[in-house]
Amino acid sequence: METGDEDALEMVRDLARISGHGRSLRRLRLRVTGPVVWRGDFPPSNAVVEFELAGQAHAVPFVLYAENAPGGLVEGLARVLTRPGDPRRFFVAGFDSFMIVVHQLPEKVDALNAVLAAEPTWLEVRIEDERTPPRG
């Protein structure tokens, strides 16, 4: 499955929408800053999405792969889109060919897992940065 620029932009739109920021998202664009990679463990960022959210400019660097979901994009967006004081968090679950992202209260995730049986297992998108000590 090949991915492209529009896939990354659509992920930004979708995550903004499910977190309640969809209407304030403006000036969305993608800048490719290095060669698109086919595979690799954790190559350096080679793209950045830039946008305004409620009038504030944001830039989220990530890895743009030719055939895989963008690396680090969901995590970077979670940092920007998680409102202070909002108990909801982003969770991801995935299969071989796709990823599911929800913006949910942590206590509701067990119910999602129970409904979906063994797969997928929802994992919280961690949004620690250099100012936040790692949890656990």
Side-chain angles (χ1 to χ4, degrees), residues 11-12 15 49 51 60 73-82:
M11 287 178 73
V12 176
L15 269 65
V49 287
F51 55 93
V60 177
L73 182 58
V74 171
E75 295 81 358
L77 291 170
R79 285 184 199 97
V80 173
L81 298 172
T82 300

Side-chain angles (χ1 to χ4, degrees), residues 3-16 28-31 42-43 45-51 58-65 68-82 90 92 99 101 125-127:
T3 60
D5 297 0
E6 190 55 39
D7 295 311
L9 294 173
E10 194 60 33
M11 287 178 73
V12 176
R13 289 182 197 103
D14 284 345
L15 269 65
L28 175 61
R29 74 182 196 125
L30 177 119
R31 252 186 331 111
F42 299 102
S45 296
N46 61 358
V48 62
V49 287
E50 299 171 333
F51 55 93
H58 297 278
V60 177
F62 66 98
V63 178
L64 185 61
Y65 289 102
N68 297 68
L73 182 58
V74 171
E75 295 81 358
L77 291 170
R79 285 184 199 97
V80 173
L81 298 172
T82 300
F90 285 95
V92 295
M99 173 187 346
V101 180
V125 175
R126 298 298 186 171
I127 58 171

Side-chain angles (χ1 to χ4, degrees), residues 4 23 31 46 103 114-115 120 134:
R23 291 186 179 178
R31 252 186 331 111
N46 61 358
H103 190 239
V115 169

Side-chain angles (χ1 to χ4, degrees), residues 66-130:
E67 290 191 349
N68 297 68
L73 182 58
V74 171
E75 295 81 358
L77 291 170
R79 285 184 199 97
V80 173
L81 298 172
T82 300
R83 292 178 170 138
D86 188 342
R88 295 173 300 167
R89 296 289 175 256
F90 285 95
F91 292 85
V92 295
F95 296 94
D96 293 353
S97 59
F98 65 91
M99 173 187 346
I100 304 167
V101 180
V102 297
H103 190 239
Q104 188 59 269
L105 294 170
E107 58 269 19
K108 301 283 186 175
V109 174
D110 286 340
L112 283 173
N113 283 331
V115 169
L116 296 171
E119 290 192 50
T121 298
W122 297 88
L123 302 172
E124 182 176 352
V125 175
R126 298 298 186 171
I127 58 171
E128 286 88 11
D129 60 24
E130 63 276 357

